[in-house]
Amino acid sequence: MHELYIAQSILKSVQKSLPEDVRAEDVTQVRVECGQLDAVVPDSLIFLFDAIKAESNMPQAELLVEQIAVACVCKDCSREFEMELPVFICPDCQSGNVELLRGRGIRLTGITVNEPEDENHGHTGHP
């Protein structure tokens, strides 16, 4: 159930990332990448994000989660490969001397903000 903590952290990160002239209420989409090693269940994360955003200042924000596959490089034969199982063994030479390239960590990758309509649209500024 660490998804609740992650959802709260995402909301805080978005709030900190917004420039001063952008209102949190205008955020419509938040995109994150989650490495598969972090064992985040995207549906649970989205469900919890939706539950807590209603109480936040970003009620219309939609969370999009992209899971990042675990990728390694074998230090013995230099083969790069993606892992389907949590077994750190090179599929070519069977070496366990592998280095993790990606698949760990949660990263905020994008925020979409709905531009508020210009209240003066159509006005020339002349009385």
Side-chain angles (χ1 to χ4, degrees):
M1 197 58 153
H2 66 288
E3 283 87 356
L4 178 58
Y5 173 76
I6 294 168
Q8 291 169 331
S9 296
I10 291 169
L11 278 173
K12 287 179 187 172
S13 294
V14 171
Q15 290 169 340
K16 288 181 182 176
S17 300
L18 293 175
E20 287 184 23
D21 61 337
V22 175
R23 298 176 342 141
E25 293 83 5
D26 295 329
V27 173
T28 58
Q29 197 174 71
V30 176
R31 292 176 300 283
V32 296
E33 290 179 346
C34 294
Q36 286 184 329
L37 285 178
D38 291 297
V40 172
V41 179
D43 288 344
S44 295
L45 180 58
I46 291 168
F47 174 81
L48 292 166
F49 182 88
D50 286 345
I52 63 172
K53 77 176 185 184
E55 303 297 322
S56 76
N57 57 356
M58 288 183 262
Q60 61 178 331
E62 173 190 18
L63 179 64
L64 301 176
V65 179
E66 178 184 2
Q67 280 206 304
I68 303 300
V70 177
C72 297
V73 61
C74 177
K75 291 182 177 179
D76 291 334
C77 72
S78 301
R79 180 178 174 191
E80 290 187 19
F81 58 96
E82 286 191 2
M83 291 183 5
E84 294 182 21
L85 300 172
V87 178
F88 291 87
I89 295 177
C90 176
D92 278 355
C93 70
Q94 306 301 312
S95 171
N97 189 15
V98 297
E99 178 181 341
L100 181 66
L101 295 176
R102 65 180 177 274
R104 185 168 192 142
I106 299 168
R107 195 167 70 101
L108 179 62
T109 58
I111 301 169
T112 302
V113 177
N114 188 19
E115 293 285 330
E117 290 188 28
D118 185 2
E119 295 176 6
N120 296 322
H121 185 70
H123 295 278
T124 60
H126 300 286

mmCIF file of all heavy atoms in Angstrom, residues 104-126:
data_model
loop_
_atom_site.group_PDB
_atom_site.id
_atom_site.type_symbol
_atom_site.label_atom_id
_atom_site.label_comp_id
_atom_site.label_asym_id
_atom_site.label_seq_id
_atom_site.Cartn_x
_atom_site.Cartn_y
_atom_site.Cartn_z
ATOM 1 N N ARG A 104 14.143 1.376 -12.173
ATOM 2 C CA ARG A 104 14.012 1.698 -10.757
ATOM 3 C C ARG A 104 13.779 3.193 -10.612
ATOM 4 O O ARG A 104 14.391 3.996 -11.307
ATOM 5 C CB ARG A 104 15.269 1.300 -10.011
ATOM 6 C CG ARG A 104 15.106 1.522 -8.538
ATOM 7 C CD ARG A 104 16.187 0.889 -7.747
ATOM 8 N NE ARG A 104 15.742 0.953 -6.375
ATOM 9 C CZ ARG A 104 15.921 0.041 -5.490
ATOM 10 N NH1 ARG A 104 16.588 -1.016 -5.817
ATOM 11 N NH2 ARG A 104 15.476 0.165 -4.288
ATOM 12 N N GLY A 105 12.886 3.538 -9.715
ATOM 13 C CA GLY A 105 12.640 4.947 -9.447
ATOM 14 C C GLY A 105 11.320 5.421 -10.024
ATOM 15 O O GLY A 105 10.767 4.829 -10.957
ATOM 16 N N ILE A 106 10.813 6.477 -9.421
ATOM 17 C CA ILE A 106 9.576 7.099 -9.864
ATOM 18 C C ILE A 106 9.912 8.533 -10.217
ATOM 19 O O ILE A 106 10.551 9.241 -9.441
ATOM 20 C CB ILE A 106 8.504 7.037 -8.764
ATOM 21 C CG1 ILE A 106 8.218 5.566 -8.437
ATOM 22 C CG2 ILE A 106 7.235 7.773 -9.182
ATOM 23 C CD1 ILE A 106 7.412 5.354 -7.197
ATOM 24 N N ARG A 107 9.510 8.927 -11.420
ATOM 25 C CA ARG A 107 9.918 10.230 -11.925
ATOM 26 C C ARG A 107 8.722 10.974 -12.501
ATOM 27 O O ARG A 107 7.950 10.422 -13.280
ATOM 28 C CB ARG A 107 10.972 10.018 -13.008
ATOM 29 C CG ARG A 107 11.749 11.208 -13.407
ATOM 30 C CD ARG A 107 12.953 10.778 -14.232
ATOM 31 N NE ARG A 107 12.548 10.286 -15.524
ATOM 32 C CZ ARG A 107 12.628 10.999 -16.645
ATOM 33 N NH1 ARG A 107 13.141 12.201 -16.614
ATOM 34 N NH2 ARG A 107 12.239 10.508 -17.789
ATOM 35 N N LEU A 108 8.574 12.214 -12.107
ATOM 36 C CA LEU A 108 7.555 13.089 -12.678
ATOM 37 C C LEU A 108 8.047 13.536 -14.043
ATOM 38 O O LEU A 108 9.115 14.136 -14.151
ATOM 39 C CB LEU A 108 7.344 14.295 -11.756
ATOM 40 C CG LEU A 108 6.336 15.342 -12.162
ATOM 41 C CD1 LEU A 108 4.934 14.761 -12.240
ATOM 42 C CD2 LEU A 108 6.372 16.501 -11.182
ATOM 43 N N THR A 109 7.309 13.201 -15.106
ATOM 44 C CA THR A 109 7.788 13.492 -16.459
ATOM 45 C C THR A 109 7.022 14.598 -17.160
ATOM 46 O O THR A 109 7.486 15.098 -18.181
ATOM 47 C CB THR A 109 7.738 12.230 -17.335
ATOM 48 O OG1 THR A 109 6.399 11.736 -17.374
ATOM 49 C CG2 THR A 109 8.670 11.159 -16.797
ATOM 50 N N GLY A 110 5.841 14.953 -16.640
ATOM 51 C CA GLY A 110 5.119 16.008 -17.330
ATOM 52 C C GLY A 110 3.908 16.486 -16.572
ATOM 53 O O GLY A 110 3.302 15.746 -15.803
ATOM 54 N N ILE A 111 3.593 17.746 -16.779
ATOM 55 C CA ILE A 111 2.409 18.373 -16.183
ATOM 56 C C ILE A 111 1.726 19.165 -17.290
ATOM 57 O O ILE A 111 2.375 19.956 -17.977
ATOM 58 C CB ILE A 111 2.798 19.330 -15.032
ATOM 59 C CG1 ILE A 111 3.557 18.588 -13.942
ATOM 60 C CG2 ILE A 111 1.561 20.016 -14.465
ATOM 61 C CD1 ILE A 111 4.204 19.518 -12.910
ATOM 62 N N THR A 112 0.441 18.922 -17.458
ATOM 63 C CA THR A 112 -0.333 19.687 -18.438
ATOM 64 C C THR A 112 -1.250 20.635 -17.691
ATOM 65 O O THR A 112 -1.935 20.230 -16.748
ATOM 66 C CB THR A 112 -1.166 18.743 -19.330
ATOM 67 O OG1 THR A 112 -0.288 17.833 -19.980
ATOM 68 C CG2 THR A 112 -1.953 19.528 -20.369
ATOM 69 N N VAL A 113 -1.235 21.883 -18.122
ATOM 70 C CA VAL A 113 -2.042 22.908 -17.473
ATOM 71 C C VAL A 113 -3.015 23.471 -18.499
ATOM 72 O O VAL A 113 -2.627 23.802 -19.620
ATOM 73 C CB VAL A 113 -1.152 24.044 -16.918
ATOM 74 C CG1 VAL A 113 -1.994 25.146 -16.322
ATOM 75 C CG2 VAL A 113 -0.164 23.481 -15.907
ATOM 76 N N ASN A 114 -4.265 23.548 -18.115
ATOM 77 C CA ASN A 114 -5.288 24.149 -18.957
ATOM 78 C C ASN A 114 -5.159 25.655 -18.841
ATOM 79 O O ASN A 114 -5.298 26.209 -17.752
ATOM 80 C CB ASN A 114 -6.673 23.681 -18.506
ATOM 81 C CG ASN A 114 -7.753 24.103 -19.455
ATOM 82 O OD1 ASN A 114 -7.491 24.437 -20.608
ATOM 83 N ND2 ASN A 114 -8.980 24.076 -18.970
ATOM 84 N N GLU A 115 -4.874 26.296 -19.964
ATOM 85 C CA GLU A 115 -4.728 27.751 -19.958
ATOM 86 C C GLU A 115 -6.065 28.406 -19.632
ATOM 87 O O GLU A 115 -7.069 28.098 -20.284
ATOM 88 C CB GLU A 115 -4.248 28.241 -21.327
ATOM 89 C CG GLU A 115 -2.855 27.799 -21.678
ATOM 90 C CD GLU A 115 -1.784 28.554 -20.922
ATOM 91 O OE1 GLU A 115 -2.001 29.736 -20.581
ATOM 92 O OE2 GLU A 115 -0.731 27.956 -20.658
ATOM 93 N N PRO A 116 -6.106 29.254 -18.620
ATOM 94 C CA PRO A 116 -7.364 29.957 -18.351
ATOM 95 C C PRO A 116 -7.685 30.885 -19.512
ATOM 96 O O PRO A 116 -6.792 31.437 -20.136
ATOM 97 C CB PRO A 116 -7.083 30.742 -17.069
ATOM 98 C CG PRO A 116 -5.603 30.774 -16.934
ATOM 99 C CD PRO A 116 -5.036 29.632 -17.721
ATOM 100 N N GLU A 117 -8.963 30.989 -19.787
ATOM 101 C CA GLU A 117 -9.356 31.864 -20.886
ATOM 102 C C GLU A 117 -9.063 33.307 -20.533
ATOM 103 O O GLU A 117 -9.261 33.734 -19.396
ATOM 104 C CB GLU A 117 -10.846 31.699 -21.188
ATOM 105 C CG GLU A 117 -11.153 30.353 -21.805
ATOM 106 C CD GLU A 117 -12.577 30.269 -22.287
ATOM 107 O OE1 GLU A 117 -13.146 31.312 -22.628
ATOM 108 O OE2 GLU A 117 -13.101 29.145 -22.295
ATOM 109 N N ASP A 118 -8.580 34.003 -21.511
ATOM 110 C CA ASP A 118 -8.258 35.413 -21.326
ATOM 111 C C ASP A 118 -9.556 36.198 -21.151
ATOM 112 O O ASP A 118 -10.412 36.220 -22.033
ATOM 113 C CB ASP A 118 -7.487 35.919 -22.539
ATOM 114 C CG ASP A 118 -7.017 37.350 -22.377
ATOM 115 O OD1 ASP A 118 -7.246 37.947 -21.302
ATOM 116 O OD2 ASP A 118 -6.413 37.869 -23.326
ATOM 117 N N GLU A 119 -9.711 36.818 -19.989
ATOM 118 C CA GLU A 119 -10.933 37.560 -19.697
ATOM 119 C C GLU A 119 -11.095 38.771 -20.603
ATOM 120 O O GLU A 119 -12.182 39.274 -20.806
ATOM 121 C CB GLU A 119 -10.950 37.990 -18.232
ATOM 122 C CG GLU A 119 -11.014 36.814 -17.287
ATOM 123 C CD GLU A 119 -10.936 37.251 -15.838
ATOM 124 O OE1 GLU A 119 -10.943 38.462 -15.579
ATOM 125 O OE2 GLU A 119 -10.859 36.374 -14.975
ATOM 126 N N ASN A 120 -9.990 39.236 -21.156
ATOM 127 C CA ASN A 120 -10.052 40.418 -22.010
ATOM 128 C C ASN A 120 -10.125 40.053 -23.487
ATOM 129 O O ASN A 120 -10.017 40.911 -24.345
ATOM 130 C CB ASN A 120 -8.836 41.311 -21.764
ATOM 131 C CG ASN A 120 -8.824 41.846 -20.348
ATOM 132 O OD1 ASN A 120 -9.873 42.178 -19.818
ATOM 133 N ND2 ASN A 120 -7.659 41.899 -19.760
ATOM 134 N N HIS A 121 -10.287 38.743 -23.767
ATOM 135 C CA HIS A 121 -10.323 38.302 -25.155
ATOM 136 C C HIS A 121 -11.421 39.048 -25.924
ATOM 137 O O HIS A 121 -12.546 39.126 -25.483
ATOM 138 C CB HIS A 121 -10.581 36.787 -25.207
ATOM 139 C CG HIS A 121 -10.520 36.257 -26.592
ATOM 140 N ND1 HIS A 121 -9.351 36.166 -27.292
ATOM 141 C CD2 HIS A 121 -11.489 35.800 -27.411
ATOM 142 C CE1 HIS A 121 -9.589 35.663 -28.472
ATOM 143 N NE2 HIS A 121 -10.889 35.426 -28.578
ATOM 144 N N GLY A 122 -11.066 39.568 -27.028
ATOM 145 C CA GLY A 122 -12.034 40.270 -27.849
ATOM 146 C C GLY A 122 -12.114 41.769 -27.539
ATOM 147 O O GLY A 122 -12.706 42.516 -28.267
ATOM 148 N N HIS A 123 -11.474 42.185 -26.459
ATOM 149 C CA HIS A 123 -11.481 43.601 -26.120
ATOM 150 C C HIS A 123 -10.220 44.263 -26.670
ATOM 151 O O HIS A 123 -9.151 43.693 -26.671
ATOM 152 C CB HIS A 123 -11.532 43.805 -24.594
ATOM 153 C CG HIS A 123 -12.794 43.300 -23.990
ATOM 154 N ND1 HIS A 123 -13.955 44.024 -23.982
ATOM 155 C CD2 HIS A 123 -13.079 42.122 -23.380
ATOM 156 C CE1 HIS A 123 -14.901 43.334 -23.384
ATOM 157 N NE2 HIS A 123 -14.380 42.160 -23.006
ATOM 158 N N THR A 124 -10.360 45.429 -27.109
ATOM 159 C CA THR A 124 -9.211 46.138 -27.656
ATOM 160 C C THR A 124 -8.530 47.002 -26.612
ATOM 161 O O THR A 124 -7.469 47.531 -26.863
ATOM 162 C CB THR A 124 -9.643 47.045 -28.820
ATOM 163 O OG1 THR A 124 -10.598 47.982 -28.328
ATOM 164 C CG2 THR A 124 -10.232 46.217 -29.956
ATOM 165 N N GLY A 125 -9.151 47.160 -25.462
ATOM 166 C CA GLY A 125 -8.575 48.013 -24.450
ATOM 167 C C GLY A 125 -9.098 49.431 -24.534
ATOM 168 O O GLY A 125 -8.815 50.250 -23.694
ATOM 169 N N HIS A 126 -9.865 49.711 -25.585
ATOM 170 C CA HIS A 126 -10.449 51.042 -25.720
ATOM 171 C C HIS A 126 -11.873 51.028 -25.175
ATOM 172 O O HIS A 126 -12.598 50.084 -25.372
ATOM 173 C CB HIS A 126 -10.480 51.466 -27.196
ATOM 174 C CG HIS A 126 -9.135 51.515 -27.809
ATOM 175 N ND1 HIS A 126 -8.236 52.519 -27.534
ATOM 176 C CD2 HIS A 126 -8.520 50.672 -28.665
ATOM 177 C CE1 HIS A 126 -7.122 52.295 -28.210
ATOM 178 N NE2 HIS A 126 -7.265 51.163 -28.903
#
